[in-house]
Amino acid sequence: MKPTLQKLLLYRSVNTRTHGVRHGSCRAYRYERHTKSEKDKRSNRGSMHSHQRHGFDYTPLFRFLLSKVGHPWDEVFSEAKARLDRPEPIFWMVAMHESDKEESVRTDENSYYSGLWVDEAGLVQKVNPMLTPEQMGPFSDYDTHTFNGVVFAQSSARKRWAKPTV
């Protein structure tokens, strides 16, 4: 009997308990809970535990999907779905309808990936295969941005202020 190789998951857990990690749901509640107007609405206030899922990085999924351009969608979807905790992140990057197509998809604060779609033949395709970071628009000179997992070239303004290496 041959041992079967288990494929790696297409997401990873990220530490969310570190000091300074902020999530969108807790900040709004923290600033409104002691106001006079909120004291009258205590029965209407929702749970302190939102149903948002924090602490997952889907970068391996996005790289997997980019590597499957030109492959049949049914095979790609079934493999990705089997290696994920839930199927929704697949559709952050892959458009199933013509009206949902986007040239680039922002997956994090400074991470961008090529948008994908399923063509009439059922194959995964890039929305704009010739897209480069320079065509996407102006970005901050002081942040590090990535496009399809590759860091953008630094602008001349950032290089000018960088410390020289010894």
Side-chain angles (χ1 to χ4, degrees), residues 23-30 32-33 38 41-52 54:
H23 300 297
S25 62
C26 65
R27 283 190 290 188
Y29 175 72
R30 185 175 87 194
E32 71 183 21
R33 65 183 170 188
E38 286 301 313
K41 300 179 191 177
R42 284 185 196 242
S43 62
N44 295 337
R45 186 171 50 196
S47 166
M48 288 177 57
H49 305 288
S50 70
H51 296 288
Q52 297 177 357
H54 298 293

PDB file of all heavy atoms in Angstrom, residues 23-30 32-33 38 41-52 54:
ATOM      1  N   HIS A  23      -8.423  45.108  14.714  1.00  0.00           N
ATOM      2  CA  HIS A  23      -9.421  44.576  13.811  1.00  0.00           C
ATOM      3  C   HIS A  23     -10.575  45.558  13.773  1.00  0.00           C
ATOM      4  O   HIS A  23     -10.893  46.199  14.761  1.00  0.00           O
ATOM      5  CB  HIS A  23      -9.910  43.208  14.270  1.00  0.00           C
ATOM      6  CG  HIS A  23      -8.814  42.199  14.332  1.00  0.00           C
ATOM      7  ND1 HIS A  23      -8.122  41.806  13.216  1.00  0.00           N
ATOM      8  CD2 HIS A  23      -8.273  41.522  15.363  1.00  0.00           C
ATOM      9  CE1 HIS A  23      -7.213  40.910  13.559  1.00  0.00           C
ATOM     10  NE2 HIS A  23      -7.281  40.734  14.857  1.00  0.00           N
ATOM     11  N   GLY A  24     -11.230  45.655  12.641  1.00  0.00           N
ATOM     12  CA  GLY A  24     -12.253  46.660  12.420  1.00  0.00           C
ATOM     13  C   GLY A  24     -13.425  46.616  13.361  1.00  0.00           C
ATOM     14  O   GLY A  24     -14.023  47.633  13.666  1.00  0.00           O
ATOM     15  N   SER A  25     -13.798  45.474  13.875  1.00  0.00           N
ATOM     16  CA  SER A  25     -15.026  45.378  14.648  1.00  0.00           C
ATOM     17  C   SER A  25     -14.894  45.921  16.067  1.00  0.00           C
ATOM     18  O   SER A  25     -15.851  46.377  16.650  1.00  0.00           O
ATOM     19  CB  SER A  25     -15.482  43.923  14.706  1.00  0.00           C
ATOM     20  OG  SER A  25     -14.502  43.142  15.355  1.00  0.00           O
ATOM     21  N   CYS A  26     -13.708  45.872  16.668  1.00  0.00           N
ATOM     22  CA  CYS A  26     -13.590  46.241  18.081  1.00  0.00           C
ATOM     23  C   CYS A  26     -13.458  47.742  18.293  1.00  0.00           C
ATOM     24  O   CYS A  26     -13.884  48.252  19.304  1.00  0.00           O
ATOM     25  CB  CYS A  26     -12.417  45.515  18.717  1.00  0.00           C
ATOM     26  SG  CYS A  26     -10.819  45.994  18.052  1.00  0.00           S
ATOM     27  N   ARG A  27     -12.897  48.455  17.339  1.00  0.00           N
ATOM     28  CA  ARG A  27     -12.656  49.886  17.556  1.00  0.00           C
ATOM     29  C   ARG A  27     -13.950  50.674  17.644  1.00  0.00           C
ATOM     30  O   ARG A  27     -14.097  51.533  18.493  1.00  0.00           O
ATOM     31  CB  ARG A  27     -11.778  50.443  16.462  1.00  0.00           C
ATOM     32  CG  ARG A  27     -10.341  50.069  16.637  1.00  0.00           C
ATOM     33  CD  ARG A  27      -9.492  50.815  15.703  1.00  0.00           C
ATOM     34  NE  ARG A  27      -9.747  50.314  14.360  1.00  0.00           N
ATOM     35  CZ  ARG A  27      -9.051  50.647  13.326  1.00  0.00           C
ATOM     36  NH1 ARG A  27      -8.065  51.483  13.438  1.00  0.00           N
ATOM     37  NH2 ARG A  27      -9.320  50.165  12.140  1.00  0.00           N
ATOM     38  N   ALA A  28     -14.898  50.391  16.766  1.00  0.00           N
ATOM     39  CA  ALA A  28     -16.144  51.153  16.777  1.00  0.00           C
ATOM     40  C   ALA A  28     -16.890  50.938  18.089  1.00  0.00           C
ATOM     41  O   ALA A  28     -17.419  51.870  18.672  1.00  0.00           O
ATOM     42  CB  ALA A  28     -17.016  50.740  15.605  1.00  0.00           C
ATOM     43  N   TYR A  29     -16.911  49.730  18.562  1.00  0.00           N
ATOM     44  CA  TYR A  29     -17.615  49.427  19.807  1.00  0.00           C
ATOM     45  C   TYR A  29     -16.935  50.095  20.989  1.00  0.00           C
ATOM     46  O   TYR A  29     -17.596  50.619  21.877  1.00  0.00           O
ATOM     47  CB  TYR A  29     -17.671  47.909  20.012  1.00  0.00           C
ATOM     48  CG  TYR A  29     -18.271  47.517  21.330  1.00  0.00           C
ATOM     49  CD1 TYR A  29     -19.632  47.661  21.551  1.00  0.00           C
ATOM     50  CD2 TYR A  29     -17.479  47.048  22.365  1.00  0.00           C
ATOM     51  CE1 TYR A  29     -20.192  47.321  22.761  1.00  0.00           C
ATOM     52  CE2 TYR A  29     -18.034  46.697  23.574  1.00  0.00           C
ATOM     53  CZ  TYR A  29     -19.388  46.846  23.773  1.00  0.00           C
ATOM     54  OH  TYR A  29     -19.941  46.514  24.972  1.00  0.00           O
ATOM     55  N   ARG A  30     -15.616  50.128  20.995  1.00  0.00           N
ATOM     56  CA  ARG A  30     -14.881  50.674  22.135  1.00  0.00           C
ATOM     57  C   ARG A  30     -15.195  52.150  22.351  1.00  0.00           C
ATOM     58  O   ARG A  30     -15.336  52.608  23.472  1.00  0.00           O
ATOM     59  CB  ARG A  30     -13.382  50.498  21.906  1.00  0.00           C
ATOM     60  CG  ARG A  30     -12.564  50.938  23.090  1.00  0.00           C
ATOM     61  CD  ARG A  30     -11.118  50.633  22.882  1.00  0.00           C
ATOM     62  NE  ARG A  30     -10.520  51.746  22.183  1.00  0.00           N
ATOM     63  CZ  ARG A  30      -9.342  51.708  21.608  1.00  0.00           C
ATOM     64  NH1 ARG A  30      -8.654  50.614  21.598  1.00  0.00           N
ATOM     65  NH2 ARG A  30      -8.851  52.761  21.012  1.00  0.00           N
ATOM     66  N   GLU A  32     -17.946  53.855  21.412  1.00  0.00           N
ATOM     67  CA  GLU A  32     -19.339  54.231  21.589  1.00  0.00           C
ATOM     68  C   GLU A  32     -19.995  53.602  22.814  1.00  0.00           C
ATOM     69  O   GLU A  32     -21.101  53.951  23.163  1.00  0.00           O
ATOM     70  CB  GLU A  32     -20.140  53.844  20.346  1.00  0.00           C
ATOM     71  CG  GLU A  32     -20.340  52.372  20.175  1.00  0.00           C
ATOM     72  CD  GLU A  32     -21.081  52.030  18.898  1.00  0.00           C
ATOM     73  OE1 GLU A  32     -21.105  52.843  17.984  1.00  0.00           O
ATOM     74  OE2 GLU A  32     -21.640  50.936  18.850  1.00  0.00           O
ATOM     75  N   ARG A  33     -19.339  52.693  23.504  1.00  0.00           N
ATOM     76  CA  ARG A  33     -20.023  51.950  24.551  1.00  0.00           C
ATOM     77  C   ARG A  33     -20.329  52.762  25.800  1.00  0.00           C
ATOM     78  O   ARG A  33     -21.193  52.385  26.567  1.00  0.00           O
ATOM     79  CB  ARG A  33     -19.229  50.705  24.923  1.00  0.00           C
ATOM     80  CG  ARG A  33     -17.903  50.987  25.539  1.00  0.00           C
ATOM     81  CD  ARG A  33     -17.161  49.716  25.816  1.00  0.00           C
ATOM     82  NE  ARG A  33     -15.798  50.072  26.178  1.00  0.00           N
ATOM     83  CZ  ARG A  33     -14.842  49.224  26.340  1.00  0.00           C
ATOM     84  NH1 ARG A  33     -15.075  47.955  26.181  1.00  0.00           N
ATOM     85  NH2 ARG A  33     -13.653  49.605  26.659  1.00  0.00           N
ATOM     86  N   GLU A  38     -25.838  55.710  23.931  1.00  0.00           N
ATOM     87  CA  GLU A  38     -25.773  54.246  23.888  1.00  0.00           C
ATOM     88  C   GLU A  38     -26.378  53.611  25.132  1.00  0.00           C
ATOM     89  O   GLU A  38     -26.790  52.461  25.089  1.00  0.00           O
ATOM     90  CB  GLU A  38     -24.335  53.774  23.714  1.00  0.00           C
ATOM     91  CG  GLU A  38     -23.793  53.983  22.327  1.00  0.00           C
ATOM     92  CD  GLU A  38     -24.613  53.254  21.276  1.00  0.00           C
ATOM     93  OE1 GLU A  38     -24.935  52.067  21.475  1.00  0.00           O
ATOM     94  OE2 GLU A  38     -24.958  53.884  20.270  1.00  0.00           O
ATOM     95  N   LYS A  41     -29.769  52.439  24.468  1.00  0.00           N
ATOM     96  CA  LYS A  41     -29.897  51.400  23.443  1.00  0.00           C
ATOM     97  C   LYS A  41     -29.260  50.083  23.861  1.00  0.00           C
ATOM     98  O   LYS A  41     -28.983  49.245  23.031  1.00  0.00           O
ATOM     99  CB  LYS A  41     -29.205  51.854  22.163  1.00  0.00           C
ATOM    100  CG  LYS A  41     -29.726  53.099  21.553  1.00  0.00           C
ATOM    101  CD  LYS A  41     -28.918  53.403  20.308  1.00  0.00           C
ATOM    102  CE  LYS A  41     -29.183  54.771  19.777  1.00  0.00           C
ATOM    103  NZ  LYS A  41     -28.353  55.071  18.637  1.00  0.00           N
ATOM    104  N   ARG A  42     -29.044  49.863  25.131  1.00  0.00           N
ATOM    105  CA  ARG A  42     -28.323  48.662  25.560  1.00  0.00           C
ATOM    106  C   ARG A  42     -28.957  47.380  25.058  1.00  0.00           C
ATOM    107  O   ARG A  42     -28.263  46.438  24.730  1.00  0.00           O
ATOM    108  CB  ARG A  42     -28.191  48.629  27.063  1.00  0.00           C
ATOM    109  CG  ARG A  42     -27.148  49.584  27.542  1.00  0.00           C
ATOM    110  CD  ARG A  42     -26.967  49.441  29.024  1.00  0.00           C
ATOM    111  NE  ARG A  42     -26.261  50.613  29.501  1.00  0.00           N
ATOM    112  CZ  ARG A  42     -25.085  50.582  30.064  1.00  0.00           C
ATOM    113  NH1 ARG A  42     -24.474  49.446  30.221  1.00  0.00           N
ATOM    114  NH2 ARG A  42     -24.506  51.672  30.458  1.00  0.00           N
ATOM    115  N   SER A  43     -30.252  47.315  24.988  1.00  0.00           N
ATOM    116  CA  SER A  43     -30.892  46.079  24.543  1.00  0.00           C
ATOM    117  C   SER A  43     -30.679  45.848  23.047  1.00  0.00           C
ATOM    118  O   SER A  43     -30.749  44.721  22.587  1.00  0.00           O
ATOM    119  CB  SER A  43     -32.383  46.108  24.858  1.00  0.00           C
ATOM    120  OG  SER A  43     -32.985  47.171  24.173  1.00  0.00           O
ATOM    121  N   ASN A  44     -30.430  46.906  22.294  1.00  0.00           N
ATOM    122  CA  ASN A  44     -30.232  46.778  20.848  1.00  0.00           C
ATOM    123  C   ASN A  44     -28.782  46.505  20.474  1.00  0.00           C
ATOM    124  O   ASN A  44     -28.497  46.207  19.328  1.00  0.00           O
ATOM    125  CB  ASN A  44     -30.688  48.051  20.135  1.00  0.00           C
ATOM    126  CG  ASN A  44     -32.169  48.264  20.289  1.00  0.00           C
ATOM    127  OD1 ASN A  44     -32.904  47.314  20.530  1.00  0.00           O
ATOM    128  ND2 ASN A  44     -32.600  49.499  20.161  1.00  0.00           N
ATOM    129  N   ARG A  45     -27.897  46.637  21.429  1.00  0.00           N
ATOM    130  CA  ARG A  45     -26.483  46.470  21.126  1.00  0.00           C
ATOM    131  C   ARG A  45     -26.203  45.010  20.784  1.00  0.00           C
ATOM    132  O   ARG A  45     -26.694  44.093  21.435  1.00  0.00           O
ATOM    133  CB  ARG A  45     -25.639  46.899  22.313  1.00  0.00           C
ATOM    134  CG  ARG A  45     -24.165  46.884  22.017  1.00  0.00           C
ATOM    135  CD  ARG A  45     -23.384  47.503  23.112  1.00  0.00           C
ATOM    136  NE  ARG A  45     -23.781  46.937  24.396  1.00  0.00           N
ATOM    137  CZ  ARG A  45     -23.489  47.485  25.542  1.00  0.00           C
ATOM    138  NH1 ARG A  45     -22.824  48.600  25.589  1.00  0.00           N
ATOM    139  NH2 ARG A  45     -23.863  46.930  26.668  1.00  0.00           N
ATOM    140  N   GLY A  46     -25.371  44.784  19.787  1.00  0.00           N
ATOM    141  CA  GLY A  46     -25.067  43.423  19.353  1.00  0.00           C
ATOM    142  C   GLY A  46     -24.035  42.758  20.233  1.00  0.00           C
ATOM    143  O   GLY A  46     -23.543  43.312  21.212  1.00  0.00           O
ATOM    144  N   SER A  47     -23.711  41.568  19.885  1.00  0.00           N
ATOM    145  CA  SER A  47     -22.741  40.776  20.614  1.00  0.00           C
ATOM    146  C   SER A  47     -21.353  41.395  20.493  1.00  0.00           C
ATOM    147  O   SER A  47     -21.026  42.045  19.505  1.00  0.00           O
ATOM    148  CB  SER A  47     -22.722  39.361  20.030  1.00  0.00           C
ATOM    149  OG  SER A  47     -21.607  38.667  20.481  1.00  0.00           O
ATOM    150  N   MET A  48     -20.526  41.170  21.505  1.00  0.00           N
ATOM    151  CA  MET A  48     -19.151  41.641  21.436  1.00  0.00           C
ATOM    152  C   MET A  48     -18.323  40.779  20.490  1.00  0.00           C
ATOM    153  O   MET A  48     -17.259  41.158  20.072  1.00  0.00           O
ATOM    154  CB  MET A  48     -18.506  41.626  22.825  1.00  0.00           C
ATOM    155  CG  MET A  48     -19.049  42.698  23.717  1.00  0.00           C
ATOM    156  SD  MET A  48     -18.378  42.641  25.365  1.00  0.00           S
ATOM    157  CE  MET A  48     -16.653  42.751  25.086  1.00  0.00           C
ATOM    158  N   HIS A  49     -18.800  39.607  20.141  1.00  0.00           N
ATOM    159  CA  HIS A  49     -18.074  38.703  19.260  1.00  0.00           C
ATOM    160  C   HIS A  49     -18.683  38.791  17.866  1.00  0.00           C
ATOM    161  O   HIS A  49     -19.763  38.269  17.628  1.00  0.00           O
ATOM    162  CB  HIS A  49     -18.153  37.269  19.781  1.00  0.00           C
ATOM    163  CG  HIS A  49     -17.689  37.140  21.191  1.00  0.00           C
ATOM    164  ND1 HIS A  49     -16.366  37.251  21.542  1.00  0.00           N
ATOM    165  CD2 HIS A  49     -18.359  36.945  22.343  1.00  0.00           C
ATOM    166  CE1 HIS A  49     -16.249  37.115  22.847  1.00  0.00           C
ATOM    167  NE2 HIS A  49     -17.447  36.932  23.354  1.00  0.00           N
ATOM    168  N   SER A  50     -17.985  39.439  16.970  1.00  0.00           N
ATOM    169  CA  SER A  50     -18.495  39.536  15.604  1.00  0.00           C
ATOM    170  C   SER A  50     -18.270  38.204  14.902  1.00  0.00           C
ATOM    171  O   SER A  50     -17.532  37.351  15.364  1.00  0.00           O
ATOM    172  CB  SER A  50     -17.783  40.651  14.853  1.00  0.00           C
ATOM    173  OG  SER A  50     -16.447  40.275  14.610  1.00  0.00           O
ATOM    174  N   HIS A  51     -18.873  38.061  13.764  1.00  0.00           N
ATOM    175  CA  HIS A  51     -18.713  36.827  12.996  1.00  0.00           C
ATOM    176  C   HIS A  51     -17.648  36.987  11.923  1.00  0.00           C
ATOM    177  O   HIS A  51     -17.650  36.259  10.940  1.00  0.00           O
ATOM    178  CB  HIS A  51     -20.059  36.428  12.382  1.00  0.00           C
ATOM    179  CG  HIS A  51     -21.081  36.093  13.429  1.00  0.00           C
ATOM    180  ND1 HIS A  51     -21.019  34.935  14.173  1.00  0.00           N
ATOM    181  CD2 HIS A  51     -22.143  36.775  13.890  1.00  0.00           C
ATOM    182  CE1 HIS A  51     -22.019  34.909  15.024  1.00  0.00           C
ATOM    183  NE2 HIS A  51     -22.711  36.021  14.878  1.00  0.00           N
ATOM    184  N   GLN A  52     -16.758  37.938  12.106  1.00  0.00           N
ATOM    185  CA  GLN A  52     -15.653  38.114  11.174  1.00  0.00           C
ATOM    186  C   GLN A  52     -14.574  37.094  11.491  1.00  0.00           C
ATOM    187  O   GLN A  52     -14.346  36.739  12.634  1.00  0.00           O
ATOM    188  CB  GLN A  52     -15.077  39.524  11.289  1.00  0.00           C
ATOM    189  CG  GLN A  52     -16.065  40.589  10.907  1.00  0.00           C
ATOM    190  CD  GLN A  52     -15.479  41.971  11.106  1.00  0.00           C
ATOM    191  OE1 GLN A  52     -14.362  42.121  11.572  1.00  0.00           O
ATOM    192  NE2 GLN A  52     -16.238  42.974  10.747  1.00  0.00           N
ATOM    193  N   HIS A  54     -10.761  36.493  11.539  1.00  0.00           N
ATOM    194  CA  HIS A  54      -9.460  37.139  11.502  1.00  0.00           C
ATOM    195  C   HIS A  54      -8.373  36.090  11.659  1.00  0.00           C
ATOM    196  O   HIS A  54      -8.587  35.021  12.206  1.00  0.00           O
ATOM    197  CB  HIS A  54      -9.330  38.159  12.632  1.00  0.00           C
ATOM    198  CG  HIS A  54     -10.325  39.266  12.551  1.00  0.00           C
ATOM    199  ND1 HIS A  54     -10.326  40.203  11.552  1.00  0.00           N
ATOM    200  CD2 HIS A  54     -11.377  39.580  13.343  1.00  0.00           C
ATOM    201  CE1 HIS A  54     -11.320  41.047  11.744  1.00  0.00           C
ATOM    202  NE2 HIS A  54     -11.978  40.688  12.820  1.00  0.00           N
TER     203      HIS A  54
END
